[in-house]
């Protein structure tokens, strides 16, 4: 990858490198400490990020989650079915466990992703522009489940 790329280039590069699309989905997060998450599904990845964040914060959230993908982080907490059943009642338990494992990274993984996100943005030659788009058909069902699980879907 070229020196000084931006978020869009990194997004395309990781999608091509891993041979799986990465969908960027804006949504409201009611938890004050949660701004983004990465969900690895069988055929594609979803990065959900806080819809109400400033443009620069959205860019950092996405760079952070892309860094987790680039480093192939796996998380550090194991959950069983009983731990996850009440959190996302409309989502498949296996998908919830997968997401939660990645939401509880070790301190080293978090620091690595945060450092990489900062380096990516410091070297970015152009700023990321949030695309105006709908949810891809292949991700529609899981996005609806995530929205129902993390907060109220946005009516717009």
């Amino acid at each position: 990858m070229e020196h000084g790329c931006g978020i869009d280039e990194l997004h395309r590069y990781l999608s091509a490198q891993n041979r799986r699309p990465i969908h960027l989905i804006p949504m409201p997060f009611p938890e004050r400490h949660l701004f983004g998450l990465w969900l690895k599904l069988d055929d594609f990845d979803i990065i959900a990020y806080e819809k109400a964040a400033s443009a620069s914060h959205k860019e950092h959230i996405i760079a952070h989650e892309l860094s987790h993908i680039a480093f192939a982080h796996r998380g550090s907490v194991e959950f069983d079915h009983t731990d996850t059943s009440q959190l996302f009642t409309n989502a498949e338990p296996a998908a919830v466990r997968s997401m939660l494992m990645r939401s509880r990274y070790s301190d080293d993984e978090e620091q690595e992703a945060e450092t990489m996100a900062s380096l990516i943005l410091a070297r970015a030659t152009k700023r990321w522009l949030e695309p105006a788009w709908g949810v891809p058909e292949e991700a529609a069902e899981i996005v609806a489940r995530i929205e129902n699980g993390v907060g109220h879907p946005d009516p717009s």
Side-chain angles (χ1 to χ4, degrees):
M1 206 158 83
E2 291 184 30
H3 174 75
C5 75
I7 295 296
D8 290 326
E9 290 84 4
L10 179 60
H11 177 220
R12 282 192 299 274
Y13 174 81
L14 287 173
S15 291
Q17 185 75 14
N18 295 333
R19 296 184 180 144
R20 49 190 292 120
I22 302 169
H23 301 298
L24 305 177
I25 311 288
M27 65 175 50
F29 284 84
E31 292 289 324
R32 291 189 175 159
H33 65 279
L34 180 63
F35 297 104
L37 60 85
W38 164 39
L39 182 59
K40 183 176 182 178
L41 300 173
D42 290 338
D43 299 321
F44 57 92
D45 294 299
I46 292 175
I47 292 177
Y49 59 92
E50 174 56 60
K51 183 177 186 172
S54 69
S56 61
H57 191 194
K58 288 176 186 177
E59 193 174 46
H60 188 88
I61 295 164
I62 293 167
H64 179 98
E65 299 303 333
L66 287 172
S67 295
H68 282 305
I69 293 172
F71 287 121
H73 288 161
R74 298 178 75 63
S76 60
V77 176
E78 295 288 336
F79 292 92
D80 65 25
H81 179 70
T82 58
D83 291 326
T84 62
S85 63
Q86 297 302 315
L87 294 175
F88 296 94
T89 56
N90 294 325
E92 295 291 327
V96 173
R97 283 192 300 277
S98 174
M99 179 184 69
L100 290 173
M101 286 180 66
R102 278 182 285 281
S103 71
R104 302 294 243 166
Y105 298 105
S106 70
D107 289 340
D108 289 343
E109 288 173 330
E110 275 303 316
Q111 188 169 17
E112 188 174 50
E114 195 64 18
T115 299
M116 180 57 76
S118 295
L119 290 171
I120 290 166
L121 295 175
R123 294 177 170 232
T125 55
K126 56 185 169 180
R127 305 317 298 178
W128 175 75
L129 298 175
E130 186 172 6
W133 60 288
V135 175
E137 185 176 324
E138 68 181 359
E141 182 180 345
I142 193 69
V143 168
R145 289 179 180 182
I146 292 169
E147 286 178 335
N148 287 330
V150 299
H152 304 290
D154 187 27
S156 59

